[in-house]
Amino acid sequence: RTMTDHKTSKEQKYDRQLRLWGDHGQEGLENAHVCLINATATGTEILKNLVLPGIGAFTIVDGHKVSGEDVGNNFFLTSSSIGKNRAQAATELLQELNSDVSGNFVEESPDKLLDNDPEFFHRFSLVIGVQLPESTCLRLGSVLWDAGVPFLVCRTYGLIGYMRLIVKEHTVIESHPDNALEDLRLDQPFTELKHHIESYDLDSMEKKDHSHTPWIIVVAKYLEKEGNNGTPEDEENFEEAIKNVNTALNPTKVPSATEDIFNAEQCENITSQSPSFWVMAHGVRDFVRNEGNGKLPVRGTIPDMIADSDKFIKLQNVYRDKAMKDAAVVSKHVEALLQSFGKPPESISEQEIKLFCKNAAFLRVVRCRSLAEEYSMDTFNKDEITSCMDSADSEMVLYLMLRSVDRFYQQHSRYPGVYNYQVEEDINKLKLCVNSLLQEYSLNVNVKDDYIHEFCKEAHCLSFVAGSAAQEAIKIITHQFVPFNNTFLYNAMSQTSATFQL
Amino acid sequence: MAKLVGPLRKELADSLSSCRVLVVGAGGIGCELLKNLVLTGFKNIEVIDLDTIDVSNLNRQFLFQKKHVGKSKAPVAKESVLRFCPSANITAYHDSIMNPDYNVEFFRNFQLVMNALDNRAARNHVNRMCLAADIPLIESGTAGYLGKVTVIRKGQTECYECQPKLTQKTFPGCTIRNTPSEPIHCIVWAKYLFNQLFGEEDADQEVSPDTADPEAAWNPADAAARATASNKDGDIKRVSTKEWARSTGYDPVKLFNKLFKDDIMYLLTMDKLWKKRKAPLPLDWTEIHHLEFSQEEACGTGLKDQQVLGVQGYAQLFHRSVETLRSQLIEKGEGAELVWDKDDPPAMDFVTAAANLRMNVFSMNMKSRFDVKSMAGNIIPAIATTNAVIAGLIVLEALKTLNSEFDQCRTIFLNKQPNPRKKLLVPCALDPPNPSCYVCASKPEVTVKLNVHKTIVQALQDKILKEKFGMVAPDVQIEDGKGTILISSEEGETEANNNKFLSDFGIRNGSRLQVDDFLQDYTLLVNLIHSEELEKDVEFEVVGDAPDKAPTPSVPEEGKNIANGNKDSAQPSTSSKAAAEDDDVLIVDSDEEPSSSTMEASPESSNRKRKHHGTDTDDAASKRKRLDQQPADDDEDIIALD
């Protein structure tokens, strides 16, 4: 079977998703190696949702043996696997879903691995930890934080879903913003655009030509004439010009988010270790500060409009050519930068730079707080917690309950409500945990007893959480779309969800 | 399994193992849903799907594997679920839910019906069946990252048809045949051409020049003198396109020259059309092969599908695909017909080539096979993650419904990213029924404007009652005091009426028709208004119905627009077994994407340009990127949501 055959069959299999994230997004997925800790029902569901779209490889880390309970709630384990190692059994069944994915497993608990070989985790593009005890979470969180590996913590508890993203810095070139404004430079036309506008003489045009003139030209001409108070023509393209004038005339400037990126320390101090995002950001910054005269590279696209093909294409080419030219200048800056610390210029491709320039106005850097910061008495986000808790049914209460449940686990080595005969007793014990947590962090908030009762019920898998977790994983792997920052809570009882910055 | 009982009350858990539920559809949502149902403790599940497994399903429909490609979805889904959960009692049907076997009695077997469908016709039908049987229905849909789940209960909530859906957008015949101004017009033309040549011929899918175009106001006798090229075409027009093609032995070169040279030269003689438009430029097979095209090699470095070939490239592709399709036709034997399917490579190649050659003739920038496929196939992107989320939500609504917590049920929208209030999920209270709904009101009634002298009974049946009002087998009685039967669903009773005009039966302004669909247990009273002033190419208008206009783009809930999910064309969009016209219905997703409002402009008066890509300087990566950024931006014509 030839390579091209293989490529075509992949193209067919992934057709419906290529339409969302493109082949470079798919390439990102195919180069990714994801680690799942604990092949619980939620864990395997998440992995299923990553294996189907075709991640490159996965490794399951799990020291547990398959129990009867696992088989009951986990679609990827069968009764014949009872007693086997859970990592292995799940790997075998998940592997069946997609032969293009390489599945691996390690029959070891994450704590053991952290004891013996913490660097084991450095190799992954993303680590997903499911139903991890608090202590493991904090330990692993700090190892991955230092190694710069994104860590997605997921848990389901009763009908509650929880996700926490922990990544020091996550860069996004293609943030896919909704309702982005066009980059037309009508307020500050570049030379080539000026010439192109001048080539039109609306007054001496024939009716047919006149009515097929792109509205961008119409607006530009109108702007040229000082004190113009003539009435616009009754032509469709003029109507279109009037409709679009407000969004078309946005002042050309560097958006503040992009400005922040330029001013970031990582952009300032480029080293041979700097990721290509920052090298390119530096290149664009150099462009803005020199050739660009304070403006970003031209994006090079224009919207649909009434016009004949010829006029439209000519106008489009004016913008496109300028965008190419600007990108070429940025390329030069990037090249110089790479050479200055002895890297070959081709280590960042022309194509990457073009993509970066085109998205220069939409760049995003997501910085999450570390788990250590979230847990420390000095740095925890008291304001967010107390202000949310002003309304007693905020999803924030679920967060506090989960923290209390962890406390319960620490003290009793089990979760509350596991045994029916202990429910009443557990409610009181859990209440103590809630109070001590609030006290320790000097949180003056009220947690309703209802929630404490609710949390003395059993854990349950949710396909919802698995779907959302996998979706966030894909965002992180492909570096497209902006992931949530940093805590996501879902309440299946009320069908509500919320994100918090903790 | 026992563990899952945890969060559920014991009575509810018990009722799960005894109740029967129906899952309609075993595709993206269906696979996830079946898994969730058995894991939640549902024991008696019936699943129905008429489709077979395609390679492009495998990125999300996890119950299917490569070895299953080509097999029926429902039985394979059942087998895969049983592997993991041998105790479940699953019945699988490889069939259309619209088959009369699945009558009201059938629906009454269930405590709950869950839709996991991809087309509006079937959704309408299941909605009516559930109303008739008084069974709760959970309706759902996904499109890319967006999704929605809602609950429908007779008399208590809105039904699926309470709010008018945007009617499907079709293009006027003369835009397709004479004056295409956008790539989509050429793509529709190419699909018609496929059916005319290789498939089931349909009088509504003519591809040759339309001499009756009122805009041309053209007198054939006058023009004949001027036209040098048209003398031969006069003959061609009298035989059908298929007969003519057959008589040439499907000679690709002859076909090429007829379609892209002779017919175009004929169009040029209709000179009024080209007063305000750029005139088309005919292509000649021999000539294009002698020209030096500098940009002839494929441009773009990405996947093969995303490259835009030059004219020569598409001419070659046309040649090759005609030959392949011809041999397929021969293989199938005398009188055989091919069915167009976007996932069938030669069929897709043919449409790509023919559409692009026509785009070239009409001076549009050509498109890659990937883009043409999006538009021709009404492709809605689909991914595993969204389906997983939605299927999880369906089960939660199902549990509340079965647990008599109906007041807790919600419509839930899944957004692409958290909204400004940081909500990814937006739950909304269920709306009460719309008292003037033409489906679930106690005495449903509509008013239709048409020309009684020009509308034939067949059109009333097919286009108005079946297509527009979603009936399967209508019986029509005129309320003229005599109870004249206009249409009977019994075969052989009223066929003689089919080609007569409504006025032939005394129908006039103010006439009332009583329409019954026995299967759907549904009666609709239709008031007719006679009108001579309908717009060109409009056969009828439902009074009070939103025309093909985009509502204001500022809709409060982001998710609301995408509502009913996947390829929501009015016809089932599943592959080859569906009706031949299935993919031809194009629906504009007007509220999602303001730029699609370009579609409202009457196509013959505007000369709009789509965003051009695929010109020599554009590379595949950036092209794809744009597509990602706003799928609807490039594919605005095809997103068939409402």
Side-chain angles (χ1 to χ4, degrees):
Chain A
R1 194 168 178 217
T2 65
M3 265 315 275
T4 30
D5 274 356
H6 192 63
K7 211 172 166 189
T8 317
S9 90
K10 271 194 176 178
E11 226 174 292
Q12 279 177 13
K13 181 161 73 179
Y14 299 135
D15 182 273
R16 301 302 188 266
Q17 68 200 37
L18 288 175
R19 286 162 206 280
L20 284 178
W21 52 66
D23 40 280
H24 57 294
Q26 186 67 27
E27 199 184 313
L29 270 185
E30 289 175 15
N31 289 330
H33 188 172
V34 175
C35 171
L36 169 72
I37 303 173
N38 286 339
T40 62
T42 310
T44 50
E45 280 285 320
I46 297 171
L47 212 44
K48 174 203 98 200
N49 292 337
L50 296 173
V51 167
L52 288 171
I55 49 167
F58 67 83
T59 295
I60 299 182
V61 172
D62 196 336
H64 298 88
K65 298 264 181 266
V66 178
S67 67
E69 180 183 332
D70 285 328
V71 175
N73 67 16
N74 193 325
F75 203 81
F76 296 94
L77 296 171
T78 60
S79 52
S80 63
S81 40
I82 291 179
K84 275 202 214 170
N85 174 268
R86 198 162 69 176
Q88 181 183 359
T91 301
E92 283 166 7
L93 288 160
L94 283 164
Q95 177 77 72
E96 275 183 20
L97 295 177
N98 192 342
S99 55
D100 292 325
V101 177
S102 140
N104 314 281
F105 61 90
V106 177
E107 304 174 40
E108 193 96 75
S109 78
D111 287 299
K112 270 246 177 68
L113 281 170
L114 284 168
D115 289 342
N116 301 329
D117 180 18
E119 286 186 8
F120 168 84
F121 292 102
H122 292 190
R123 72 192 71 183
F124 300 109
S125 344
L126 169 70
V127 175
I128 302 173
V130 181
Q131 312 297 69
L132 290 177
E134 189 182 271
S135 58
T136 314
C137 242
L138 284 163
R139 267 183 90 192
L140 185 56
S142 110
V143 166
L144 295 174
W145 182 263
D146 292 337
V149 176
F151 182 27
L152 185 61
V153 178
C154 299
R155 66 192 289 187
T156 54
Y157 195 91
L159 291 173
I160 306 301
Y162 164 89
M163 283 197 281
R164 168 72 154 94
L165 177 64
I166 306 149
V167 60
K168 204 187 276 177
E169 172 187 294
H170 175 76
T171 54
V172 185
I173 298 174
E174 294 166 87
S175 60
H176 299 284
D178 292 330
N179 314 317
L181 291 172
E182 300 288 345
D183 179 26
L184 301 176
R185 311 282 166 116
L186 288 173
D187 57 334
Q188 301 175 45
F190 44 92
T191 320
E192 296 86 340
L193 179 59
K194 262 191 211 150
H195 291 322
H196 185 71
I197 296 165
E198 279 161 17
S199 73
Y200 277 87
D201 181 1
L202 293 183
D203 297 333
S204 67
M205 268 177 160
E206 279 190 34
K207 177 81 178 165
K208 180 179 158 187
D209 259 357
H210 195 268
S211 63
H212 287 158
T213 300
W215 65 257
I216 292 178
I217 304 287
V218 174
V219 172
K221 285 285 182 194
Y222 195 84
L223 289 172
E224 270 178 9
K225 291 190 200 167
E226 279 297 328
N228 192 332
N229 51 12
T231 41
E233 301 287 330
D234 182 21
E235 284 171 6
E236 259 186 311
N237 51 334
F238 276 73
E239 279 171 37
E240 203 174 48
I242 294 165
K243 208 170 80 193
N244 283 296
V245 75
N246 285 333
T247 49
L249 283 182
N250 51 316
T252 303
K253 62 172 190 222
V254 180
S256 63
T258 306
E259 195 67 66
D260 290 346
I261 289 171
F262 289 164
N263 295 330
E265 189 250 320
Q266 294 93 323
C267 187
E268 198 67 52
N269 306 317
I270 299 291
T271 67
S272 61
Q273 302 303 311
S274 293
S276 55
F277 179 93
W278 291 110
V279 178
M280 290 191 283
H282 193 101
V284 172
R285 191 189 74 168
D286 286 349
F287 173 89
V288 172
R289 293 186 181 170
N290 298 292
E291 299 87 346
N293 292 318
K295 292 175 290 248
L296 290 173
V298 167
R299 202 179 303 156
T301 53
I302 59 174
D304 283 347
M305 62 193 72
I306 299 170
D308 59 48
S309 286
D310 188 48
K311 292 196 184 69
F312 181 85
I313 291 169
K314 275 196 184 129
L315 180 64
Q316 192 187 38
N317 286 341
V318 168
Y319 282 98
R320 195 205 299 270
D321 293 348
K322 174 67 173 157
M324 304 272 274
K325 240 171 156 178
D326 287 356
V329 176
V330 172
S331 261
K332 284 267 172 313
H333 286 297
V334 170
E335 216 168 276
L337 205 55
L338 288 169
Q339 264 162 353
S340 72
F341 41 76
K343 273 189 149 182
E346 60 278 9
S347 58
I348 298 178
S349 75
E350 206 62 31
Q351 212 156 323
E352 283 175 85
I353 294 173
K354 274 191 211 158
L355 186 69
F356 194 91
C357 290
K358 204 168 180 177
N359 284 284
F362 315 119
L363 303 173
R364 292 288 178 274
V365 176
V366 176
R367 295 194 176 86
C368 297
R369 276 156 50 88
S370 70
L371 267 192
E373 287 173 283
E374 178 184 333
Y375 278 71
S376 151
M377 306 292 171
D378 304 322
T379 51
F380 80 100
N381 197 342
K382 190 171 183 177
D383 290 348
E384 177 97 342
I385 297 174
T386 44
S387 70
C388 288
M389 287 301 290
D390 282 347
S391 63
D393 291 315
S394 157
E395 283 79 8
M396 184 59 81
V397 71
L398 307 176
Y399 168 75
L400 295 174
M401 285 308 304
L402 287 172
R403 289 286 303 268
S404 307
V405 164
D406 281 337
R407 199 161 274 245
F408 185 105
Y409 184 88
Q410 245 169 14
Q411 290 170 9
H412 308 284
S413 302
R414 64 174 177 85
Y415 287 108
V418 179
Y419 305 106
N420 274 335
Y421 64 87
Q422 285 175 326
V423 170
E424 282 310 311
E425 200 182 317
D426 282 0
I427 288 175
N428 289 325
K429 285 181 179 163
L430 182 58
K431 207 167 183 173
L432 288 174
C433 292
V434 173
N435 290 336
S436 77
L437 178 87
L438 297 179
Q439 218 159 40
E440 211 169 291
Y441 285 89
S442 358
L443 285 166
N444 186 19
V445 298
N446 177 36
V447 174
K448 285 200 257 175
D449 276 357
D450 294 0
Y451 287 102
I452 296 170
H453 289 252
E454 202 58 52
F455 273 71
C456 285
K457 292 181 181 174
E458 190 84 30
H460 174 47
C461 136
L462 290 166
S463 126
F464 172 83
V465 171
S468 328
Q471 192 53 57
E472 292 305 315
I474 291 171
K475 287 186 194 170
I476 293 160
I477 294 166
T478 60
H479 286 261
Q480 291 188 32
F481 299 96
V482 184
F484 73 104
N485 183 4
N486 56 29
T487 302
F488 176 84
L489 275 157
Y490 167 63
N491 183 345
M493 291 170 283
S494 57
Q495 297 285 37
T496 52
S497 66
T499 45
F500 300 112
Q501 219 158 353
L502 294 171
Chain B
M1 201 63 56
K3 285 294 133 190
L4 283 163
V5 176
L8 308 178
R9 289 212 335 264
K10 179 141 188 337
E11 314 86 83
L12 175 57
D14 290 345
S15 77
L16 293 189
S17 54
S18 61
C19 79
R20 299 175 76 79
V21 296
L22 174 66
V23 174
V24 189
I29 297 177
C31 281
E32 292 284 336
L33 182 57
L34 286 170
K35 172 205 71 192
N36 291 353
L37 289 173
V38 295
L39 288 176
T40 311
F42 285 85
K43 287 275 177 243
N44 307 300
I45 303 168
E46 304 201 5
V47 57
I48 179 166
D49 198 310
L50 59 66
D51 215 353
T52 52
I53 297 158
D54 183 79
V55 183
S56 65
N57 300 146
L58 302 181
N59 79 330
R60 61 194 186 284
Q61 300 175 18
F62 77 103
L63 296 174
F64 312 138
Q65 296 172 20
K66 208 160 219 166
K67 62 182 181 211
H68 298 130
V69 168
K71 295 187 174 167
S72 315
K73 283 187 174 177
V76 174
K78 169 187 163 172
E79 292 313 316
S80 296
V81 171
L82 287 181
R83 238 185 98 194
F84 290 99
C85 190
S87 62
N89 171 22
I90 302 175
T91 310
Y93 305 90
H94 177 206
D95 206 346
S96 163
I97 192 63
M98 290 164 84
N99 181 324
D101 291 349
Y102 309 106
N103 53 17
V104 175
E105 288 311 309
F106 173 82
F107 276 83
R108 288 206 180 111
N109 288 327
F110 305 99
Q111 273 76 56
L112 180 66
V113 176
M114 284 163 275
N115 269 352
L117 281 164
D118 68 353
N119 69 87
R120 198 191 290 168
R123 284 189 170 106
N124 285 344
H125 181 75
V126 175
N127 176 48
R128 291 164 192 209
M129 298 308 290
C130 288
L131 289 171
D134 196 7
I135 303 296
L137 167 66
I138 299 183
E139 171 57 56
S140 62
T142 67
Y145 297 109
L146 306 171
K148 177 190 175 180
V149 176
T150 189
V151 183
I152 295 169
R153 191 79 221 252
K154 184 182 180 178
Q156 299 185 46
T157 70
E158 273 188 349
C159 81
Y160 179 69
E161 295 166 272
C162 269
Q163 296 304 328
K165 306 274 183 297
L166 281 173
T167 46
Q168 74 237 33
K169 179 76 188 177
T170 50
F171 300 102
C174 37
T175 304
I176 301 299
R177 294 168 64 183
N178 293 357
T179 52
S181 59
E182 299 174 22
I184 186 65
H185 301 147
C186 301
I187 292 168
V188 170
W189 177 87
K191 285 175 69 183
Y192 286 0
L193 178 65
F194 179 94
N195 285 340
Q196 295 291 348
L197 290 177
F198 307 106
E200 191 184 350
E201 286 173 279
D202 180 336
D204 286 338
Q205 298 189 352
E206 260 308 325
V207 289
S208 52
D210 178 10
T211 51
D213 189 338
E215 194 201 341
W218 177 69
N219 179 351
D222 284 358
R226 270 174 289 142
T228 49
S230 62
N231 48 358
K232 272 187 295 169
D233 299 279
D235 301 332
I236 294 166
K237 271 193 62 61
R238 264 173 237 126
V239 295
S240 79
T241 314
K242 192 186 244 168
E243 277 172 59
W244 177 81
R246 223 181 256 156
S247 73
T248 71
Y250 284 99
D251 180 326
V253 176
K254 283 190 180 150
L255 273 175
F256 183 97
N257 281 336
K258 167 177 161 46
L259 295 165
F260 304 110
K261 188 178 77 179
D262 299 343
D263 280 356
I264 302 305
M265 287 167 78
Y266 189 73
L267 276 178
L268 285 171
T269 67
M270 299 160 78
D271 48 4
K272 276 212 174 122
L273 294 178
W274 317 114
K275 283 237 162 69
K276 285 170 77 184
R277 290 191 183 84
K278 189 168 161 54
L281 304 162
L283 289 171
D284 179 87
W285 178 266
T286 329
E287 268 171 40
I288 62 165
H289 286 85
H290 286 121
L291 284 177
E292 281 290 320
F293 283 95
S294 53
Q295 72 278 44
E296 202 44 58
E297 46 320 351
C299 45
T301 52
L303 300 169
K304 202 178 88 218
D305 251 19
Q306 290 179 45
Q307 295 164 352
V308 178
L309 311 176
V311 184
Q312 279 180 355
Y314 284 122
Q316 292 302 335
L317 186 65
F318 180 82
H319 195 285
R320 275 202 309 275
S321 58
V322 168
E323 285 185 327
T324 314
L325 293 167
R326 173 178 61 191
S327 47
Q328 281 186 3
L329 209 52
I330 292 168
E331 234 168 74
K332 284 191 141 187
E334 189 57 34
E337 282 169 352
L338 302 181
V339 177
W340 192 80
D341 180 350
K342 61 182 177 291
D343 289 313
D344 175 38
M348 193 56 230
D349 282 345
F350 175 83
V351 167
T352 305
N356 270 300
L357 291 167
R358 192 164 169 90
M359 286 180 220
N360 184 275
V361 164
F362 285 91
S363 308
M364 297 173 213
N365 273 34
M366 298 196 284
K367 294 200 158 261
S368 69
R369 190 179 187 277
F370 186 85
D371 289 344
V372 174
K373 187 174 175 183
S374 281
M375 299 170 81
N378 275 347
I379 292 181
I380 309 293
I383 46 175
T385 49
T386 310
N387 288 332
V389 170
I390 290 301
L393 297 177
I394 294 173
V395 174
L396 292 166
E397 293 308 311
L399 293 176
K400 287 186 281 191
T401 307
L402 292 171
N403 201 25
S404 319
E405 292 175 302
F406 191 69
D407 52 324
Q408 299 293 313
C409 286
R410 296 284 180 272
T411 299
I412 303 135
F413 298 97
L414 171 68
N415 291 332
K416 189 163 78 184
Q417 42 209 356
N419 69 9
R421 284 177 295 129
K422 297 189 175 184
K423 305 281 179 187
L424 190 64
L425 286 178
V426 182
C428 301
L430 297 172
D431 287 315
N434 170 5
S436 58
C437 174
Y438 66 74
V439 175
C440 71
S442 59
K443 287 203 163 64
E445 205 168 311
V446 284
T447 302
V448 176
K449 208 189 264 185
L450 46 68
N451 186 329
V452 296
H453 306 298
K454 286 192 178 165
T455 308
I456 58 169
V457 173
Q458 180 95 50
L460 171 73
Q461 177 184 291
D462 292 349
K463 296 196 174 149
I464 303 181
L465 301 178
K466 287 189 179 174
E467 199 172 300
K468 173 70 197 174
F469 293 124
M471 297 190 197
V472 176
D475 288 279
V476 180
Q477 189 180 338
I478 308 172
E479 294 209 329
D480 53 1
K482 294 178 282 189
T484 308
I485 306 288
L486 190 64
I487 298 172
S488 164
S489 58
E490 288 294 321
E491 215 164 305
E493 288 188 355
T494 51
E495 271 77 355
N497 295 350
N498 281 355
N499 288 313
K500 293 188 183 152
F501 293 108
L502 297 186
S503 54
D504 296 343
F505 299 88
I507 293 173
R508 55 196 161 88
N509 189 34
S511 290
R512 286 152 71 92
L513 307 177
Q514 187 186 312
V515 186
D516 288 289
D517 189 298
F518 181 72
L519 176 62
Q520 295 176 341
D521 193 10
Y522 171 47
T523 301
L524 179 67
L525 192 64
V526 180
N527 299 294
L528 294 178
I529 296 179
H530 170 68
S531 168
E532 311 256 342
E533 281 158 4
L534 291 168
E535 271 179 58
K536 188 177 119 188
D537 277 306
V538 173
E539 285 182 78
F540 69 95
E541 224 176 80
V542 178
V543 176
D545 207 12
D548 298 333
K549 279 254 161 73
T552 44
S554 56
V555 182
E557 293 131 20
E558 201 183 311
K560 194 142 199 162
N561 310 325
I562 63 112
N564 304 292
N566 271 333
K567 9 177 184 171
D568 227 347
S569 54
Q571 294 296 320
S573 56
T574 44
S575 56
S576 30
K577 286 142 308 295
E581 73 263 37
D582 66 11
D583 283 312
D584 295 324
V585 188
L586 291 149
I587 298 179
V588 187
D589 172 33
S590 321
D591 24 23
E592 271 292 279
E593 190 46 50
S595 70
S596 68
S597 60
T598 45
M599 304 295 298
E600 304 160 37
S602 64
E604 60 280 1
S605 67
S606 87
N607 193 4
R608 283 167 190 263
K609 283 291 130 222
R610 301 272 117 193
K611 196 162 252 171
H612 288 263
H613 44 235
T615 49
D616 42 0
T617 48
D618 209 340
D619 52 87
S622 66
K623 208 165 50 189
R624 178 74 82 60
K625 208 234 108 238
R626 223 181 295 143
L627 206 143
D628 302 334
Q629 197 163 9
Q630 283 182 326
D633 188 42
D634 277 47
D635 302 353
E636 55 218 322
D637 306 344
I638 58 107
I639 305 276
L641 320 164
D642 47 7

